[in-house]
């Protein structure tokens, strides 16, 4: 379990007013799935003073990481239950405008805790196991393949988050590149070869 820090609106320590922040990191659950962390109270009715708890399952199972946002600790002890979701599979194929597969896209990723990233295979296919949720799709490439109609370097981000709640095949994702022909010449209009 890892928590992001939250500033406290007001603390009193040894009769002295003040403020502070606290966070927890690396807490391990026992065989019953329980753990205890100690945090400062958060400010009541103020969203600026809230914790986010991130839970990461052990490697090798079908559970995904998740975050629980907006946790307040106002007065008294607090109990929180975090349910780890099972993975879903998001797959697709990256192609150029002519439908040619784009192999070895440097990074295909879905944002956020429980997201992931991968590289396309030789046929342009990818498959990611992620937690259900709303995610931004990102594609990036750093390299050149003269046989494909794509930029040498590019990064693409979906305009908004996409909701992934079950296994999803995105089908063909077309890199929206347009050809630009360039002519280089001298002041007299003669072509200048490279």
């Amino acid at each position: 379990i890892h928590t992001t820090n939250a500033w406290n609106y007001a603390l009193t320590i040894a009769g002295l007013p003040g403020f502070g922040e606290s966070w927890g990191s690396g807490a391990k659950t026992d065989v019953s799935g329980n753990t205890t962390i100690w945090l400062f109270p958060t400010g009541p009715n103020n969203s600026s003073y809230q914790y986010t708890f991130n839970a990461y399952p052990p490697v090798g199972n079908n559970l995904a990481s998740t975050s629980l946002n907006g946790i307040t600790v106002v007065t008294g002890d607090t109990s929180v239950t975090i349910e780890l979701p099972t993975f879903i599979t998001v797959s697709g194929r990256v192609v150029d405008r002519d439908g040619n597969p784009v192999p070895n896209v440097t990074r295909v990723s879905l944002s956020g805790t429980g997201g992931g990233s991968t590289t396309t295979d030789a046929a342009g296919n990818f498959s990611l196991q992620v937690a259900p949720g709303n995610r931004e799709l990102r594609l990036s490439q750093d390299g050149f393949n003269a046989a494909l109609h794509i930029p040498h370097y590019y990064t693409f981000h979906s305009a908004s988050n996409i909701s992934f709640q079950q296994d999803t095949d995105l089908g063909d994702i077309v890199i929206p590149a347009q050809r630009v022909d360039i002519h280089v010449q001298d002041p007299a209009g003669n072509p200048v070869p490279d």
Side-chain angles (χ1 to χ4, degrees):
I1 302 293
H2 174 79
T3 61
T4 56
N5 58 323
W7 279 94
N8 182 278
Y9 71 105
L11 288 174
T12 302
I13 298 175
L16 300 172
F19 59 91
E21 68 177 322
S22 65
W23 61 93
S25 181
K28 303 281 185 186
T29 55
D30 62 20
V31 295
S32 299
N34 298 316
T35 191
T36 299
I37 59 175
W38 295 89
L39 300 170
F40 287 157
T42 54
N45 304 319
N46 188 335
S47 63
S48 298
Y49 306 112
Q50 296 179 341
Y51 291 102
T52 296
F53 292 179
N54 301 303
Y56 306 97
V59 176
N61 61 41
N62 68 340
L63 298 174
S65 300
T66 195
S67 293
L68 189 58
N69 301 310
I71 305 301
T72 58
V73 180
V74 180
T75 58
D77 295 337
T78 301
S79 294
V80 175
T81 298
I82 301 173
E83 183 175 325
L84 295 175
T86 57
F87 282 117
I88 60 169
T89 300
V90 177
S91 58
R93 185 172 79 126
V94 180
V95 298
D96 71 8
R97 71 179 193 176
D98 295 328
N100 300 309
V102 180
N104 305 315
V105 170
T106 305
R107 185 172 176 178
V108 178
S109 65
L110 295 172
S111 64
T113 301
S117 65
T118 190
T119 301
T120 60
D121 64 16
N125 296 308
F126 68 90
S127 180
L128 285 166
Q129 288 202 314
V130 298
N134 297 322
R135 307 193 176 287
E136 178 185 60
L137 173 66
R138 299 175 185 162
L139 305 173
S140 60
Q141 177 79 26
D142 184 3
F144 179 63
N145 182 336
L148 298 173
H149 300 133
I150 60 173
H152 288 213
Y153 307 97
Y154 64 85
T155 299
F156 168 83
H157 298 260
S158 57
S160 61
N161 285 341
I162 303 165
S163 179
F164 296 104
Q165 302 304 322
Q166 60 191 16
D167 290 349
T168 303
D169 183 351
L170 296 172
D172 285 353
I173 300 171
V174 180
I175 302 299
Q178 299 297 316
R179 185 176 77 205
V180 177
D181 294 321
I182 300 170
H183 174 75
V184 179
Q185 64 185 30
D186 66 18
N190 299 310
V192 178
D194 193 75

